[in-house]
Amino acid sequence: MNAGGFRSHHASRGSNAERPVAQCLALFVGANADRISGGVLNIPIETPWCSTAQTTASHVSEGVGYLSTPQSLTSPGQGCDVVGARSNGIYRSDMRDYDPRLDAQRRTWRDGQRRASRQPLLLRAPLFESDSSTVNTIPACTVVVSGMSPLVTPEKLRTHFVSFGAVAGIRLGYDPSTGMSLGVARVDFVSSADAPSPRAAAREALVSGNVIQAGQSAAVLELDISGRFDTLIDALLRDAEKRERDHAAATAASSRRGNSPARKPERSGGASTHDRGLGICAVRVPRSSISFSQNTEADVGRYFERFKPTHVARDKGYWYILFASERDAHRCQRLSDKQRFAGRSIDVELYELADRDRLEDIKRLAKDGDSEQRPGTSLTSRTLITDNDTGGYGGRQTAPSHYLPGLEARVFVSSDLELHQLTEELLLREISESFVQDIQLRHLQRLISDFISPPSKQRAGRDSANGDRPTHVPKPPIRKPIDTAALLKRMSKSVTGASDSHTPINSVLADLPSFRRGSSGTFGSHRSKRAAVSSSRAHRRVSTSRSSERVDNSDSDLSDVDDRAGSEKDTMAWNKYAAKRMARRSHKGVMPANFSETDGDAFTDSSMDMETESPETAGDDDGEYAVETVADAKLPTFKNKRALKRRTTSAAQGKKRKRAVVELAQPETPLGLGPGEAGHFAEEDTFSPPINATGSARTEGYQPLAPEMKSRYLPQLHYQLHWAASFFGGTDAAVASRLRGVSGSSKSASGGRGANTSDAGLLYSLLQTSMVPSSRSHRAVNRKLRAEFSMGIRNIGDVGSSSSDRAGNAAAGPLNDIGSSNGSSDLLRFNQLESRTKRLRFSKSAIHDWGLFASEPIFQGEFVIEYIGERIRAELADLREEQYEREGIGSSYLFRVDDDIVIDATKCGNVARFINHCCEPNCIARTIVAGGTKRVGIYADRDIQIGEEITYNYKFPSEEVKIPCLCGAVNCSGYLN
Amino acid sequence: MDPELGAETLAILRKDPLKQALTRTTVKDFQISKLFADNKAAITSVDHDLTGARCVTTSLDESLRIYDCVRGTREHVSYSKKYGCNLAQFTTHPGYIAYASTKINDTIRYLSYETNQYLRYFVGHKGMVTSLQRSPIPGSGTILSAAMDGAVNLWDLEQVNPVSVVKPACGSGGSIAGGGIAAAYDPSGTAIAVAVGSTEIQLFDVRKMASGPFMSSPLESQLTADGAVVAGVQFLPTVGDHMLLVMSNGTIAVLDAFTLKKQAVLLSALPGSASTATNSDLDALGKMQKAFLGQNVTAAPDGKTVIVGGESGDIAFWHIQEALNSVARNANGGSGAMPSAVVRPDGSWNGSHDGPVSACAFNPHMMECVSGSRSLALWTTAT
């Protein structure tokens, strides 16, 4: 557990004269003393802690350093043995053939380098910008486009390429005999004011522009290196000539010859052939063009359908498309060759059918092919949840029960109409899926909570059900899927049914939670008026209806949400719903909030809408929060049920109106609750303080409350825990408006908005850090926090100025929690490095006493932890070291930062003091400058797994008194110093 | 058309306009693309950073300037007026530069140029620092320095005190003060070549500096004729089969890195000694002549071409393999007296400086070369 690096100066000074043990020195003891006169002596000095001033002073003169220790070295002078076959290079006899560059590892590296150097080295091209220091013009960069359709004109090319950079010239290659464009062009990019680097422009062109707007031509773009343009043109011209010649020859030949076609496969656009007999009624496409696995005959058929193929087949290497007539085949070949299919250009060749048998073969193939299974595509999107899905939690992926085959595989469609339909289908599918997910998240949770702990007449009947620990995913009754299914059916009907009938959609939408904000104010008041009155009725109604009408309940749950005025079932449904909500208060998130802002447009979640307090009620609700909730952290035991019962009865007694619980939708909270949360979940059902049946709280047993529960009745705790959440819940617009409300009343002028935003943001982040469990979100929150602090430090003054208004008080509240009176000094003291530390724990170590272990995987080069302690001067550190030794503190926790400052973690510091030494460490210590001061950071030298001990090399200077090293590494040197 | 470009290379090059191939033909036609007249005195050293995106120059006017090599613009200026600066090197930590002081003391200063704060001072040398190089092993934070007090130090950037200090002894009566000292890393980073006292070249193992050199060899007397002392030592990059030894009179010798035998001599114009024309730059260089540190010699990153900035302002280049072949041929055909073979440059680039080129460096990752006299020139290919 010794801290790294610091040993007192005097100790090291004393050890100056001694040499480290390791080297192969003994050979030269004395034996070569007579060679010293030759004047060759090497003085290796390895004392990292000594200043070299001391060492040099101890030597007589340069060149003849002379040590009084027996371990002096000499190097062989000219007269030494010459070993090895290398002449002129003199190896020491003990180091014969010892060239570190020639050991095995280096040799392979060197061979690799040699091999690499055989190829010309590819270096990056600089992308200079033209400015006052430019001497020569930046050379132009030329792009060659080939494979375009002959219809593309230079103007089209220019308009296409001008978007990338300045184009100097465009030259199209023309066939001199026909005057037609060969589909090859050359584009010169030059440097201009707007586009200073032609190479960058060329690169953009190459990267992005494969489609020259002549439709589906697959143009190939490349740089004009080694005269590519010219070679392409030449090649094309030669091909053209060849074709002409072949054609002439072939027609001559065919007129002579009879019925014996030579069967040769033809290249695209190759010689036309004898067409006696069957003629060329087929084209074929090699497998490389159209992949077998992703496309079926149907796809291919569709692609070629405008040519009216009769059969489509495939065998091992090719697709065969048969046509009725040669003309069709020719036409198909001509127009489809080099076109794009599924994103790549295909080669279409004319295929000659040698005889009728072949034709039959192919036809048979075609039939067989069609009857084959569709090859699976890569579609794995989530589908609608089917009936046999029990559980219905969002996020579950089932096997696709239906999918649109080949949709993703195709980049193009043969007709617009089809594209339209496919798009529509896709969109509708996605919309329906997201709807379903949303519903599951919002409503099924609640329904499950209903199931688990409903208010009770059926408590007895529910025992078994409630006996299920809600820790594991509670299985709602089979009715659940029906709900979903019913809803879905309705939805899908409305969705897939055309847009002509509005009513189904409306009803479906009516069933969904509404996303309206602000309008809930009326309902809030509405409800609040009736709530107390009707709650008892509602409860009873609820409980009676529970068993029999589950379906209806859920339906009405879903249906009551829409707050469009005018639907008559709303009122009643509202009552029911409101009562249920209040009664059950299904738990969706951890943070109910005391929402004291006036505008109710905070939250977008419907449930929150429902329960937002109306303005007038907000005020007087502040104090009376205490009533319900205090529920038990335990699982629904018998006690709970009693509590439930008590709650309902108390509610029925028209007790204090329960504070609305505003729930934040946390869509990432899955319906499947973790064990801890399930506990919460159960708690939330009992919102009233347990009225003891025995009449005495002492006899009821102790059930610890979660802070969230406590916060309901402890106002300041509530503020602290939930203020930020409420302040920052909802949409950005809502938050912004609230912030405006805060900052508007503060006096800060220009920086006010920013100040308060950052301040509030930072509070939020602070609160989050304490609550967030996962490492990744923890890191993200810390990042935000750091950013906030760096902003907050600039706007310190504004924080205090908003203390006058209420919101300011709210702001000041949590700040007070952090600990300083006016909040600003804390910002200054915030240690940014602290938030970058990894999750670590200390425990017993195999190396020595305690050690520090990683609780999360750490990657190479990452910051692990900062070595924190008391910053003292070097002289004081010397004194303290001796003092600690006298006191009996055997371990040294002093870490030297630089010549003047030492960090002493003996009495105060952080867990970095537990890091042990290792001779093969996985971390290294580095001095960094942060926040204006030099600090010591521990960085990972390699990837570290969870549970590995963090170690670094202490780098103690060497001394006479050795400290044994217990690190157990393979190359352990045995000593710490 | 370029015979060295094979089909695959051509294919790659065609698709990526940001890549250029370094071949014999392309290395011939470099031209000046950018010229910066920022400095008021001669530039004494140029170094590129690990990715080749930046370069730092030090100059006799006590300024360190950082240039962006990709865009060809000047990025930053730092001044070191009190201590002077020389031999600046980028280190493995981005944003940090180590350079040697030239006035008052000989510490090596470790500067963060963006914040203009010194992180550390490496105190230890008692004489002018003649070589400063970072270890070629990527990620290793060590630097090598050699100074006229005869010491060769290895520093760990995190530690104030050197990891090892070695005082190589000069063989047969030479002395450091008379002979100069220079040190360089082998491209594999495992060996260090030290030229001491103009009499010997020694090779040390980095891990075992204390044991002394594992190989040493005396310098040929021809090189040290007329009092020339060792100015600089460099390995050819990538493979490291050869090393360049630069003497203060401007001669450059190519040695085999494993036998330390001289293979060829590339003679370039001798700065300051032979020319009669005087200008202030030459004088300044002449003042530093004892400390002419061979910074004007560089090699292309493939290790096949040596590029030297000459006294007249031209930049000449040699293809090493051809040079060695021609020397071998001469040797075989001639009387076998190799040392007399002085290889003429294979060409020189199109453009020149207005004064003697005092520093030159080829970017290890980009197709550009930086050279400086009083002005800084960025050279790129003309095509």
Side-chain angles (χ1 to χ4, degrees), chain A residues 624-684:
Chain A
E624 32 173 277
Y625 200 55
V627 185
E628 60 278 320
T629 75
V630 194
D632 21 39
K634 294 243 171 58
L635 309 170
T637 57
F638 196 64
K639 216 159 268 177
N640 267 4
K641 281 176 263 167
R642 234 182 313 140
L644 287 168
K645 177 168 165 213
R646 273 180 256 122
R647 175 184 49 100
T648 55
T649 50
S650 68
Q653 288 160 21
K655 257 201 131 180
K656 281 189 198 174
R657 187 165 24 87
K658 303 187 177 68
R659 149 85 60 216
V661 173
V662 183
E663 293 149 14
L664 292 174
Q666 289 187 340
E668 63 269 19
T669 318
L671 197 55
L673 305 166
E677 290 173 57
H680 284 278
F681 187 79
E683 286 161 7
E684 295 287 343

Side-chain angles (χ1 to χ4, degrees), chain A residues 558-620:
Chain A
L558 302 172
S559 61
D560 65 10
V561 165
D562 185 23
D563 53 0
R564 264 161 232 167
S567 56
E568 68 275 13
K569 60 178 180 172
D570 271 1
T571 317
M572 205 185 80
W574 253 115
N575 280 344
K576 259 214 245 173
Y577 179 82
K580 269 183 272 177
R581 295 306 298 257
M582 290 197 307
R584 272 178 276 112
R585 221 172 294 280
S586 64
H587 172 60
K588 286 194 185 119
V590 181
M591 305 195 218
N594 180 12
F595 187 58
S596 53
E597 294 297 323
T598 59
D599 39 351
D601 58 346
F603 305 104
T604 59
D605 188 329
S606 64
S607 49
M608 292 188 282
D609 276 6
M610 298 318 125
E611 321 217 318
T612 311
E613 289 293 309
S614 58
E616 65 272 18
T617 58
D620 41 16

